[in-house]
Amino acid sequence: MTVLVVIEHDRGALGPASLEALAAARTIDPVVHALTLGSAADGFATDLAAHGATVVHQVHHDLLADFGPEAWGEAVAQAVRALQPDSVLACGTDRGNEVMAQAAARLDLPFVANVVSVSAADVWDITRVRWGGSLLEACTLSAATKLLTVSHHAFEAGESPAAGATSSLSVELDPSLARTVVVQRVERAAGVTLATAPVVVGGGRAVGSAEAFAPLEELAALLGGVVGCSRAVTNNGWRNHTDQVGQTGTRIAPDLYMACGISGAIQHWVGAMASKKILAINTDPEANMVTKADYAVIGDLHKVVPAITAEIRRRRGV
Amino acid sequence: MKVLVCVKRVPAPGARINITADGLAVDTAYLAFTTSPHEECAVEEAVQLIERHGGESTVLTLGPAEADEQLRYAASIGVNKAVLLPIDSAEWDPQRTAAAITSAIQGIEAADGPFDVILFGNESADAGNFQVGVRVAYALARPIVNGIKGIEIDGDSLKARRESDAGVEVYALRMPAVLGVKEGINLPRYPTLKGRLGSKKIEVGQVVPQGVLGGQQMVSLVQSAEQVSQTIMLGNGPEAAPAVVDLLEELGILK
Ligand SMILES: Cc1cc2nc3c(=O)[nH]c(=O)nc-3n(C[C@H](O)[C@H](O)[C@H](O)COP(=O)(O)OP(=O)(O)OC[C@H]3O[C@@H](n4cnc5c(N)ncnc54)[C@H](O)[C@@H]3O)c2cc1C
Ligand SMILES: Nc1ncnc2c1ncn2[C@@H]1O[C@H](COP(=O)(O)O)[C@@H](O)[C@H]1O
């Protein structure tokens, strides 16, 4: 038994990044074991087998009924002590990184976050993400058990049928770990979010004020999309941080991103680069956003955006 | 109450991150430095907690002597005390960093009493190791939750709120507690002139950092593959609108 993959889920909904972690694990060792936490995850066994899990270790405990970083981290640490894998992989999501950091602290082991490639020898040569994806780091990892998380989109999930036998693993979780378990939860209202919108109309510093976003709102609504913005905008208090695209904001992946008056700083770009097509509207033809975009209009966004809206209304008669 | 906030000095690159010829660092010859955005918000939160509940805030960093700049910036917006753990390089590996911060906190608390709340950023902007805060909290045997976008103090406990894909999660923590904060929890203020002048005068305490090398060691930095694109120019000014709408139709966005 060598590589163990911690499966992420939210109350029984399988995190898709877990299947990427399984794919990454198969590049390290053909024998892949999976670890699921909480009985809500029992139903994954078949799916995990289809994606290469030889054995699925299921952990059941009241403290794992909902997410809790300390309870989950302690459960992973105990699984590592019991199963003695050579390495442990989880998803490079907020939860995955948090749980692995918890497990690493408890096991007093190093932990490498957001890995994109691994060369496994005695000491591992690893490439990982820095600056939210703007830069990579080559590093070495020496440890009795290697703990890492897999950067989202670095490995492609794919089927690779394996036995998928299930085994029940018991852990002893101290009741005090309940101190960091979710006590209340408010589900998100259904609807288009910045992360899932098919069209994002983004505004930068050049928009100039909160009120001046109205024409961008109007255009976004016509296209069935939402408005996004740069950090210069949120720092000025013109829009809420929930609208910020970038390294410390939201990563978007729309069919079209219209970036209006945004210079395209690297920290903004990493949040926008997964867009299928990018159209930049900027007065500066040399702006990073313009040179990296698929399409550009050179001009004042305050004139160009209303003109686009007017042209759509003219053609559609709305 | 007493609040501690841990920040890291990082370069503030613009359009592209350039690497030095030896591949070991970000070329900062023409760059300014800043505090990671999540941590900037953690600093603002520390100041707001003290404004609301009284007490004293402290900012701490492990970094080169120049990180004095980030400590004084925090002081300029209202943090009361500052501590530097000086090192000879830009950064230490995350295990070593966490060990040094833990032992510094233990020293400060032994002398001045415990911090009720310790704030970290969710992750540092440059390294993004996602672990220093968690390791410190575990070593101090205190609860920690990351990704926090709202803190409400109520007696000797606090409610911390974070966002997930599914919605909002709330945690209830007994103090002393540790939180990893995300940008968006607040809107950091800008320093006033008075704040700036005051920050020049504060005394920055120094603690010699203690920590052994961890198992993760950086070898070099690598530029990620640059996305090159032949930008198609649709025109200049509002006259380009018909070309844009043609494109929207062609891409199937406008049906
Ligand atoms: C660690 C770190 C993390 C960060 N995270 C993020 C992040 O998540 N998201 C983010 O956005 N930023 C982030 N930033 C900030 C980032 O570096 C930039 O400062 C920011 O993105 C700039 O915003 P902007 O493009 O709106 O403003 P500017 O850079 O000021 O650009 C304004 C642009 O508008 C153009 N312009 C001016 N007038 C007009 C006009 N009338 N019509 C059309 N165009 C016009 C200009 O040519 C220019 O290109 C981060 C920074 C750091 C250090
Ligand atoms: N050198 C440092 N000095 C002080 N705090 C740090 C340092 N490095 C990391 N931190 C804190 O730990 C958090 C997580 O860092 P990281 O594990 O590198 O992602 C950061 O947001 C900071 O609050």
Side-chain angles (χ1 to χ4, degrees):
Chain A
M1 145 99 204
T2 58
V3 43
L4 180 68
V5 179
V6 181
I7 302 302
E8 180 168 327
H9 70 96
D10 182 54
R11 293 186 172 178
L14 180 65
S18 291
L19 302 181
E20 295 175 10
L22 281 170
R26 295 199 305 268
T27 70
I28 295 173
D29 198 284
V31 183
V32 174
H33 288 209
L35 177 71
T36 59
L37 303 177
S39 39
D42 286 354
F44 304 155
T46 317
D47 212 9
L48 299 178
H51 287 83
T54 313
V55 183
V56 181
H57 301 273
Q58 299 176 329
V59 178
H60 300 146
H61 197 286
D62 287 350
L63 276 175
L64 303 172
D66 206 344
F67 181 66
E70 291 186 296
W72 280 48
E74 177 61 26
V76 171
Q78 289 186 22
V80 170
R81 288 197 191 100
L83 302 169
Q84 303 270 318
D86 295 318
S87 61
V88 186
L89 271 58
C91 316
T93 54
D94 277 347
R95 272 191 185 183
N97 282 322
E98 187 176 30
V99 168
M100 284 297 260
Q102 280 286 349
R106 285 155 204 279
L107 294 162
D108 195 19
L109 285 171
F111 151 52
V112 184
N114 295 322
V115 167
V116 295
S117 79
V118 172
S119 165
D122 193 16
V123 170
W124 285 19
D125 286 311
I126 288 177
T127 310
R128 63 178 297 269
V129 160
R130 273 199 166 227
W131 282 102
S134 313
L135 202 63
L136 300 174
E137 166 189 339
C139 68
T140 53
L141 171 61
S142 19
T145 308
K146 273 88 172 171
L147 306 184
L148 35 114
T149 57
V150 177
S151 179
H152 196 22
H153 298 313
F155 293 84
E156 203 174 329
E159 303 223 340
S160 171
T166 58
S167 122
S168 169
L169 183 76
S170 66
V171 295
E172 275 175 42
L173 301 180
D174 193 278
S176 70
L177 291 169
R179 67 187 187 176
T180 53
V181 169
V182 177
V183 293
Q184 188 196 343
R185 179 156 137 144
V186 185
E187 301 286 331
R188 191 183 306 287
V192 184
T193 66
L194 184 56
T196 60
V199 177
V200 175
V201 179
R205 191 192 308 276
V207 175
S209 68
E211 300 71 41
F213 269 89
L216 278 71
E217 293 279 1
E218 189 183 356
L219 177 58
L222 269 181
L223 299 174
V226 299
V227 166
C229 68
S230 72
R231 183 160 177 252
V233 169
T234 41
N235 272 353
N236 276 309
W238 300 339
R239 292 192 80 85
N240 198 292
H241 182 266
T242 45
D243 291 346
Q244 182 176 314
V245 171
Q247 182 181 342
T248 52
T250 301
R251 278 137 203 270
I252 60 170
D255 297 329
L256 178 67
Y257 179 41
M258 299 175 78
C260 313
I262 296 178
S263 63
I266 192 94
Q267 305 88 0
H268 184 83
W269 178 254
V270 286
M273 65 188 184
S275 306
K276 289 204 188 73
K277 296 285 177 196
I278 296 179
L279 163 63
I281 301 173
N282 201 301
T283 45
D284 177 8
E286 303 296 322
N288 202 43
M289 202 73 212
V290 172
T291 58
K292 281 188 171 168
D294 301 284
Y295 310 94
V297 173
I298 305 307
D300 180 356
L301 75 97
H302 300 286
K303 301 208 174 88
V304 177
V305 170
I308 296 169
T309 304
E311 178 66 12
I312 295 171
R313 291 201 187 284
R314 194 185 64 76
R315 290 194 198 181
R316 291 290 177 277
V318 288
Chain B
M1 69 186 295
K2 294 180 69 162
V3 179
L4 174 73
V5 52
C6 295
V7 303
K8 183 178 182 187
R9 172 183 170 89
V10 298
R16 188 169 195 276
I17 302 181
N18 292 311
I19 299 173
T20 54
D22 62 7
L24 295 179
V26 171
D27 187 349
T28 53
Y30 305 103
L31 292 183
F33 285 82
T34 185
T35 302
S36 300
H38 296 315
E39 294 149 36
E40 229 176 88
C41 290
V43 170
E44 172 67 30
E45 197 63 21
V47 173
Q48 289 189 16
L49 286 173
I50 298 307
E51 283 172 348
R52 250 178 278 145
H53 304 282
E56 183 183 79
S57 57
T58 304
V59 60
L60 177 153
T61 193
L62 174 138
E66 293 81 6
D68 186 78
E69 181 190 349
Q70 280 59 47
L71 295 176
R72 289 191 196 274
Y73 186 84
S76 76
I77 72 158
V79 171
N80 308 109
K81 290 183 168 176
V83 180
L84 173 69
L85 279 58
I87 57 171
D88 291 333
S89 51
E91 67 179 19
W92 275 4
D93 71 69
Q95 280 174 293
R96 194 180 187 194
T97 302
I101 293 176
T102 303
S103 95
I105 292 174
Q106 285 165 335
I108 296 167
E109 291 192 333
D112 302 339
F115 293 107
D116 302 286
V117 177
I118 302 178
L119 299 176
F120 285 87
N122 192 67
E123 84 273 5
S124 58
D126 56 346
N129 289 314
F130 288 84
Q131 59 189 268
V132 168
V134 174
R135 287 188 190 273
V136 171
Y138 181 71
L140 296 172
R142 293 181 199 174
I144 178 166
V145 184
N146 266 343
I148 296 308
K149 286 208 170 174
I151 303 172
E152 238 177 84
I153 303 234
D154 179 14
D156 62 354
S157 60
L158 61 82
K159 282 221 162 101
R161 187 171 54 78
R162 80 173 181 193
E163 284 159 19
S164 76
D165 291 341
V168 173
E169 294 171 352
V170 181
Y171 295 83
L173 274 66
R174 268 288 179 83
M175 291 191 281
V178 187
L179 298 170
V181 164
K182 267 198 178 178
E183 188 180 41
I185 187 173
N186 54 40
L187 186 57
R189 71 194 72 184
Y190 290 100
T192 58
L193 184 62
K194 187 164 162 261
R196 264 183 219 280
L197 292 174
S199 74
K200 295 212 168 93
K201 292 187 209 119
I202 69 152
E203 197 183 319
V204 172
Q206 290 220 359
V207 175
V208 177
Q210 312 276 353
V212 296
L213 278 189
Q216 172 189 351
Q217 291 299 324
M218 184 167 94
V219 177
S220 65
L221 295 175
V222 187
Q223 206 70 255
S224 40
E226 193 130 6
Q227 230 162 315
V228 273
S229 142
Q230 221 16 293
T231 310
I232 299 171
M233 290 295 171
L234 298 178
N236 289 303
E239 289 73 39
V244 172
V245 181
D246 287 348
L247 173 72
L248 295 174
E249 288 176 343
E250 189 189 309
L251 294 177
I253 282 161
L254 205 61
K255 282 160 203 118

